Amino acid sequence: MHTPAGQEPDPEQFDVVVVGGGLAGVRLAVGLAARGLRFCVLEAGSDVGGVWFWNRYPGARCDVDSVEYSYQFSEDLQQEWDWTERYGSQPEILRYITHVVERFEIKDRFRFGHRLRSAVFDDSQQRWRLDCDNGTRLDTTFVVMATGCLSSVNEPPFPGREDFGGRVLHTGRWPHEPVEFTDRVVGVVGTGSSAVQAIPIIARHARTLYVFQRTAAYVVPARNRPADPEEVRAVKADYAGFRARNNERPRAFDSRTPLGTARVFDVSPEERAAEFQRRWSAGGLGFLGGFVDCMTDEAANAVAAEFIRGKIREIVDDPHTAELLSPRHLVGCKRLCLDSGYFEAFNRDNVVLVDVSREPVERFEPSGLRAAGRSWRLDDVVLATGFDAITGALLDVDIVGTSGRSLREHWADGPRTYLGLAVHGFPNLFTVTGPGSPSVLTNMVVSIEHHADWIIDCIEAVRRAGARRIDATADAEQAWSEHVAEVAAGTLFPQCNSWFLGANIPGKPRSFMPLFGFPAYRRRCTEVAETGYPGFVLG
């Protein structure tokens, strides 16, 4: 269509626009295509993958078993795909996502290199107007924000960065080409999950590796290994039952590991130690699942924490380093990290732990970093400083709802949602694994698929009703936000300064963002859909 000079072309028209081309965007695309809806998926990157497209740092892999961290919407897909390891590596997970896109022939629905800049709801037309940073304009009835919980990277504004003569790399935006560390002096800032995975590998190649640690992390063994053919056959023989059992677990995974039924102090010290040792030897995020009160009782939690500290003292040769690596906060209120040789790396002669808890990283210098009261000469700085989690990617977009009110204004005191799926005053806008849903406290693929199915069913229900919009009510949003806070208050999760609370981002309002407990949440969402969407208004 010819557009006169000086006049902007009309925006493209869609029923649904999905924002984000990761696991959620791909799953939504498969479901929307099957329903025959007119849609597209906007993705800032040059290909699909989301977190697995961007996070290519050494050692990047999932911390949920591969046979569980995978889609369940297609039995054929489940049967035909074979994972090579217990925990999928970044390259393998990216190959899997790419395979799904090709197998279900949805690649042409993606718009790569399209970063959404703004989304404004037009009250008069009951539609969303979208603008991308490359000039693309779109017009759609529904918007689904599948932007991911860990996609907006946190890069601390250390002064002097432009003066540093070496390379600066962020684990969440790793180069696509190989990065060579041989014979280089490297500094890693941060000791969270990404650093725990990357440090053992970087240590094997660097001349010297300095690890700048503000807060020690609780790290338990991954026990990664090649996939066991017998285990895989057993899962595939009853994948439906396997998924159903996982759906009844609080975190929606690891149903093959029994949950304990006793409290920590109901058993003898010897029995406690034996249970913790069994889970330590088995590896995985189920370490705290041996007892029912590790995340509700501080005294019980302290026993589990001391077991891990004892392991650190056993593994790390230098007592001073072992003490620095031993966390003192509650275990589990920050996400556990899985390792493959993390603590052992500090026994290497070329690895130095730098405590920056009292004297933090101050600035970059031309030759390195100023931290812990002195200058450190470095060739490379790796920022393993995490993400503006859960809400960061949503607030990176200028989202404006009814009456000109922005999402940033609406969430100025902390995020509020209904079911973690919708926000009052933002009609026809859905969030996948948004704040107020179990999201990061679960197997993310399970939460993603649950939300994708619920959202698509809701869109079709609105269309069948002849309505043009659906909006969460203020009362429903308020009640749900109070429910999320009440559930959190019954656990130890809010007791740490974690990214679950937004505590890693200066100035971010403090509130516990995810909801603990997938089965009850899933039942509530089903009840809402089956009873005519109470808490929503159709217009």
Side-chain angles (χ1 to χ4, degrees), residues 94-149:
L94 190 58
R95 286 196 298 272
Y96 170 74
I97 298 170
T98 301
H99 168 75
V100 173
V101 170
E102 293 172 350
R103 189 191 190 287
F104 293 93
E105 300 179 343
I106 54 173
K107 189 69 171 280
D108 61 339
R109 304 299 190 112
F110 288 77
R111 306 288 183 87
F112 298 112
H114 284 62
R115 182 178 295 278
L116 183 62
R117 183 178 62 193
S118 68
V120 179
F121 188 71
D122 185 332
D123 278 302
S124 64
Q125 299 298 314
Q126 306 290 299
R127 292 180 66 81
W128 285 92
R129 315 297 189 191
L130 311 183
D131 286 282
C132 299
D133 60 1
N134 63 0
T136 298
R137 299 167 63 233
L138 304 99
D139 180 295
T140 183
T141 306
F142 298 94
V143 176
V144 184
M145 300 298 291
T147 45
C149 293

Side-chain angles (χ1 to χ4, degrees), residues 51 54-55 148-158 161 168-174 189-192 194 214 364 381-393 396 497-500 502-508:
V51 66
W54 298 106
N55 286 256
C149 293
L150 299 175
S151 54
S152 180
V153 298
N154 173 35
E155 295 202 43
F158 298 129
R161 178 167 172 170
V168 181
L169 306 162
H170 194 291
T171 51
R173 289 293 181 269
W174 202 260
V189 179
T191 51
S194 300
R214 181 179 61 183
F364 280 90
V381 173
V382 175
L383 297 175
T385 48
F387 303 89
D388 183 352
I390 303 179
T391 59
D396 283 345
N497 287 325
S498 69
W499 56 258
F500 295 146
N504 62 321
I505 305 297
K508 187 169 181 175

Side-chain angles (χ1 to χ4, degrees), residues 213-228:
Q213 173 188 273
R214 181 179 61 183
T215 306
Y218 284 102
V219 181
V220 297
R223 308 296 184 201
N224 189 39
R225 50 178 166 71
D228 184 314

Side-chain angles (χ1 to χ4, degrees), residues 216-244:
Y218 284 102
V219 181
V220 297
R223 308 296 184 201
N224 189 39
R225 50 178 166 71
D228 184 314
E230 288 301 319
E231 288 183 9
V232 172
R233 273 194 289 272
V235 168
K236 288 188 174 186
D238 181 31
Y239 234 136
F242 178 66
R243 300 291 196 182

